C-alpha cells in the first residue's frame, strides 16, 4: 500500500511573493552576491585599519613611541642602555581578540612555522587529511541513505551491497581519523620545539637569565612561561587550526549538498538565522581570553611564592617566619581559586545558552529543512517514491547534523580563540622582555631614595612621578 503525502499550500500573500521571487531570481541572486562581496571587503578594510592602529599604538610611529615612553614613565623607572619601546606601561597581558592579538600571533607563527620547515610540511599534510575526512563524510552520508532506502524497499541485495561498501569505507575513514590525531600532536610538538629553542637561545645569551630576574620587574616566573605557557600555547594553536579549518570546510561543502535536495533559498535563509544567533552569542560571550591570561598569571605567582620559600628556607626557619610565609601562600592561592570560580560561573551560563542554541534551536531548523522537499515542491525532487524520499531524507538529515555540529564547533572555536589570545599575550610578553633585556632596556621599580649618580653611571633612566 503506497504512502500518501499531503502537500501544504502556501498562503496567497506568500505564494505571490514566491512567484515574484522566481520571476526575478537571477537579479536577486546577483544582488545578494554583490552584497556578500561588499560585506567581505568592508570586513577586510576594517581589519586592516585596526591592524594599522594597533601598529601605531605599539610603536609604529613617532607619536606611538612618545606615548609608549610616557606609559613607561608612569609604570616605573626604566634603566639601561636604551629607551622604552611602548611595553613598559602594561600591568599585565591583554588577552583580547583584536588586531594586537593578530600581530602577536603572526609574530610567533613566523618562529614556530616558517615556510621552509618540517612543521609547514606537516601543516600541509594535516590540511590534506582534513579535506579527505570531509569527502569521506559525504560518502558515508550517501551510503547511510542507500542502506536505509534498501531496508524500506525490502531489497536484500542492495542492502548487503551497501553494508559491503560501508565496511570498505571504514578502513580509510579510521586511518584518516587516527592520522589527524597523530599529525595534530606532531604539529604541537614541532611548534613547541622551535619556540623553546628560540627562547633558550635568547634566555641563555648575554646573561639574560640573570637580568630578567634581578634587573627587570616585568616577569617573575620565566621558568613557568618557558615550560607551561609555551606548551599550552602550542597545543592550543595546533588544536585551533583543526577546530576552525575543518568546520569551515564542512559547512561549505555540506550546505552545497543540502541545497541540491531542499533548494538554495532554504539553506540561505537558515544561514542568515544561524549568523544572527551566532552574533548574539558572541555579543554576550565573556572575555575568556583575559580570564585565561589572568589564570596563568596567578598560577605563576603562586608557583613563585613556593619557589621563593624554597630559596629562602634557611632564613625563614632561622627567624621563625613560617606563619608569615603561610599567610603569603594562602593569599596567593585564594586569589587563584577566586579567579577559577569566576571563570567557572561565566562558563556555566554561557555554555547553557550556547548548547540551547546549537543543539536544540538549530536542530529544530534542521527538521524544518528536511520537511521542505516532503511538503513543498522542490525542483528536481518531484515524483519520488517512498524509497527515494527516505534516501534523500536520511542523507539530508545526516548532512544537516554534521553541518550543525561543524557550526557548533565554530562557535566553540571562538572560546578557543579567546583562550589562545591569553596564552599568546603571555608568550609575546616573554619575547618582548627578552628582546628588551638583550638590548639593555630594563623596567625596574626603584625606591624613592635611590642614588641617581650611581644609576646614571650605568645608563639612562626615567623616573616616575
Amino acid at each position: 500500500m503506497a504512502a500518501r503525502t499531503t502537500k501544504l499550500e502556501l498562503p496567497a500573500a506568500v505564494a505571490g511573493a514566491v512567484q515574484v521571487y522566481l520571476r526575478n531570481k537571477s537579479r536577486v541572486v546577483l544582488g545578494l552576491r554583490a552584497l556578500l562581496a561588499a560585506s567581505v571587503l568592508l570586513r577586510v578594510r576594517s581589519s586592516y585599519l585596526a591592524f594599522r592602529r594597533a601598529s601605531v599604538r605599539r610603536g609604529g610611529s613617532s607619536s606611538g613611541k612618545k606615548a609608549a615612553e610616557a606609559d613607561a614613565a608612569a609604570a616605573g623607572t626604566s634603566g639601561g642602555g636604551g629607551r622604552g619601546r611602548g611595553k613598559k606601561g602594561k600591568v599585565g597581558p591583554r588577552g583580547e581578540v583584536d588586531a594586537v592579538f593578530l600581530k602577536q600571533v603572526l609574530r610567533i607563527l613566523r618562529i614556530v612555522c616558517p615556510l621552509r620547515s618540517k612543521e609547514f610540511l606537516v601543516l600541509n599534510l594535516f590540511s590534506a587529511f582534513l579535506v579527505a575526512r570531509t569527502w569521506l563524510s559525504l560518502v558515508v552520508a550517501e551510503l547511510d541513505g542507500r542502506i536505509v532506502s534498501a531496508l524500506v524497499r525490502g531489497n536484500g541485495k542492495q542492502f548487503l551491497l551497501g553494508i559491503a561498501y560501508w565496511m570498505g569505507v571504514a578502513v580509510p575513514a579510521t586511518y584518516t581519523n587516527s592520522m589527524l590525531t597523530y599529525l595534530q600532536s606532531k604539529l604541537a610538538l614541532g611548534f613547541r620545539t622551535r619556540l623553546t629553542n628560540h627562547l633558550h637561545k635568547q634566555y641563555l645569551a648575554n646573561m639574560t637569565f640573570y637580568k630578567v630576574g634581578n634587573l627587570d620587574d616585568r616577569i617573575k616566573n620565566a621558568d613557568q612561561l618557558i615550560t607551561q605557557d609555551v606548551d599550552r600555547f602550542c597545543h592550543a594553536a595546533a588544536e585551533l587550526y583543526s577546530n576552525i579549518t575543518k568546520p569551515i570546510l564542512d559547512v561549505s561543502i555540506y550546505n552545497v549538498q543540502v541545497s541540491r535536495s531542499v533548494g538554495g533559498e532554504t539553506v540561505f535563509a537558515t544561514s542568515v538565522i544561524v549568523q544572527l544567533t551566532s552574533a548574539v552569542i558572541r555579543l554576550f560571550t565573556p572575555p575568556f581570553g583575559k580570564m585565561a591570561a589572568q589564570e596563568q598569571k596567578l598560577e605563576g605567582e603562586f608557583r613563585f611564592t613556593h619557589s621563593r620559600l624554597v630559596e629562602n628556607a634557611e632564613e625563614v626557619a632561622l627567624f621563625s617566619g613560617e606563619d608569615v610565609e603561610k599567610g603569603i601562600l594562602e593569599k596567593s592561592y585564594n586569589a587563584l581559586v577566586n579567579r577559577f570560580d569566576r571563570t567557572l560561573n561565566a562558563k556555566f551560563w554561557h555554555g547553557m545558552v550556547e548548547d540551547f542554541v546549537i543543539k536544540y534551536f538549530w536542530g529544530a531548523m534542521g527538521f524544518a529543512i528536511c520537511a521542505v522537499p516532503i511538503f513543498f515542491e522542490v525542483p528536481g525532487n518531484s515524483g519520488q517514491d517512498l524509497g527515494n524520499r527516505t534516501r534523500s531524507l536520511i542523507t539530508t538529515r545526516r548532512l544537516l547534523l554534521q553541518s550543525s555540529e561543524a557550526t557548533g564547533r565554530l562557535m566553540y572555536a571562538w572560546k578557543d580563540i579567546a583562550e589562545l589570545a591569553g596564552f599568546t599575550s603571555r608568550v609575546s610578553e616573554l619575547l618582548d622582555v627578552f628582546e628588551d633585556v638583550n638590548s639593555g632596556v630594563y623596567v625596574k621599580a626603584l625606591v624613592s631614595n635611590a642614588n641617581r649618580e650611581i644609576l646614571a653611571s650605568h645608563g639612562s633612566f626615567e623616573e616616575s612621578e
Side-chain angles (χ1 to χ4, degrees), residues 272-299:
V272 171
I273 297 175
V274 168
Q275 291 298 324
L276 291 176
T277 54
S278 301
V280 172
I281 291 178
R282 283 198 300 268
L283 183 63
F284 293 99
T285 298
F288 290 114
K290 186 179 295 185
M291 291 179 181
Q294 291 173 351
E295 288 173 5
Q296 289 300 108
K297 181 175 180 294
L298 292 174
E299 285 274 14

Side-chain angles (χ1 to χ4, degrees), residues 238-265:
E239 185 177 359
L240 184 63
Y241 179 77
S242 174
N243 291 342
I244 290 181
T245 307
K246 180 64 167 60
I248 291 177
L249 185 64
D250 288 350
V251 170
S252 302
I253 295 179
Y254 293 158
N255 284 346
V256 172
Q257 295 293 326
V258 171
S259 64
R260 296 177 180 176
S261 301
V262 301
E265 294 81 2

Side-chain angles (χ1 to χ4, degrees), residues 124-375:
N124 288 331
L125 185 61
F126 187 56
S127 304
F129 273 94
L130 287 175
V131 175
R133 190 171 71 171
T134 300
W135 177 76
L136 288 171
S137 298
L138 292 176
V139 174
V140 170
E142 179 65 24
L143 283 175
D144 199 3
R146 288 176 56 182
I147 292 173
V148 176
S149 176
L151 282 174
V152 172
R153 291 172 175 170
N155 192 329
K157 181 179 178 181
Q158 291 295 326
F159 174 74
L160 294 177
L161 189 61
I163 292 296
Y165 285 145
W166 179 281
M167 297 304 298
V169 172
V171 176
T174 53
Y175 176 79
T176 301
N177 291 332
S178 299
M179 198 65 180
L180 285 173
T181 303
Y182 172 77
L183 290 175
Q184 180 175 315
S185 301
K186 289 288 290 184
L187 194 62
L189 183 60
F191 285 173
R192 184 182 183 184
T193 301
R194 281 191 170 272
L195 187 55
T196 301
N197 290 337
H198 178 82
L199 291 172
H200 283 174
K201 184 178 179 180
Q202 291 187 327
Y203 192 51
L204 299 174
N206 300 324
M207 297 182 67
T208 302
F209 59 91
Y210 172 79
K211 298 175 183 177
V212 167
N214 296 275
L215 302 181
D216 196 281
D217 282 346
R218 283 172 288 177
I219 293 179
K220 297 181 180 179
N221 52 332
D223 55 341
Q224 189 219 6
L225 287 166
I226 296 175
T227 55
Q228 185 176 355
D229 287 51
V230 167
D231 176 61
R232 297 192 68 177
F233 167 81
C234 294
H235 279 87
E239 185 177 359
L240 184 63
Y241 179 77
S242 174
N243 291 342
I244 290 181
T245 307
K246 180 64 167 60
I248 291 177
L249 185 64
D250 288 350
V251 170
S252 302
I253 295 179
Y254 293 158
N255 284 346
V256 172
Q257 295 293 326
V258 171
S259 64
R260 296 177 180 176
S261 301
V262 301
E265 294 81 2
T266 305
V267 175
F268 176 78
T270 306
S271 299
V272 171
I273 297 175
V274 168
Q275 291 298 324
L276 291 176
T277 54
S278 301
V280 172
I281 291 178
R282 283 198 300 268
L283 183 63
F284 293 99
T285 298
F288 290 114
K290 186 179 295 185
M291 291 179 181
Q294 291 173 351
E295 288 173 5
Q296 289 300 108
K297 181 175 180 294
L298 292 174
E299 285 274 14
E301 292 178 355
F302 181 57
R303 179 174 178 175
F304 173 74
T305 54
H306 276 280
S307 300
R308 173 179 164 274
L309 178 60
V310 172
E311 292 175 1
N312 302 280
E314 185 176 352
E315 290 83 355
V316 173
L318 180 63
F319 293 100
S320 301
E322 56 269 14
D323 292 336
V324 176
E325 294 299 324
K326 179 181 178 183
I328 295 174
L329 291 174
E330 289 179 348
K331 181 180 178 181
S332 178
Y333 180 72
N334 290 334
L336 177 62
V337 170
N338 291 335
R339 178 69 269 174
F340 275 124
D341 284 338
R342 289 193 292 270
T343 302
L344 289 175
N345 291 334
K347 287 184 177 180
F348 171 77
W349 294 108
H350 180 264
M352 186 177 69
V353 175
E354 202 171 44
D355 285 345
F356 172 78
V357 172
I358 293 174
K359 293 183 179 179
Y360 297 99
F361 181 71
W362 290 355
M365 288 194 302
F367 280 116
I369 291 177
C370 291
V372 169
I374 304 299
F375 298 112

